[in-house]
Amino acid sequence: MASAEWAEDPHDEWMRVLDELERFLGSVGDGMDATPWTAPVRLGPLPPALVGRAHKVLAGQRELVRELEAAQQETGRHLAAVRAVSAARSAETSVYVDVMS
């Protein structure tokens, strides 16, 4: 891509993009917007002054991926336990499992 196709001020554009990504990471679990993120097409190379901030955003995204994978595995275990309970049971059989005792 030729430099003429890049944003006029890559630093300001990158700041906007990093702000957006940080807001997304901060909103996880707070009813975050499900709209897919689309990378800007004319962003240009990352300015050296923003490399540290971009690394922090990347670290946050990686941590979020780890948390989501752990939640997915836990949900899978719970679902397997629910599926293991026989659907054909008498009305006298307890529906709940005491996990506190």
Side-chain angles (χ1 to χ4, degrees):
M1 176 183 298
S3 61
E5 296 176 21
W6 292 341
E8 290 181 29
D9 188 349
H11 187 275
D12 287 349
E13 284 295 311
W14 271 103
M15 290 286 289
R16 187 186 58 73
V17 168
L18 292 172
D19 287 345
E20 184 180 335
L21 292 172
E22 287 171 341
R23 269 193 309 277
F24 175 80
L25 285 172
S27 71
V28 172
D30 297 334
M32 63 184 174
D33 185 7
T35 305
W37 184 77
T38 304
V41 292
R42 296 183 40 211
L43 198 53
L46 179 67
L50 297 177
V51 169
R53 184 174 176 200
H55 281 293
K56 287 179 184 176
V57 170
L58 179 60
Q61 290 173 333
R62 287 180 175 158
E63 179 60 28
L64 177 58
V65 167
R66 281 191 287 275
E67 291 172 10
L68 291 172
E69 287 173 343
Q72 182 182 23
Q73 290 173 359
E74 183 177 1
T75 301
R77 287 190 297 274
H78 290 179
L79 185 57
V82 168
R83 287 180 176 159
V85 175
S86 174
R89 58 174 169 66
S90 72
E92 299 162 2
T93 307
S94 175
V95 176
Y96 302 100
V97 177
D98 184 3
V99 294
M100 302 302 285
S101 297

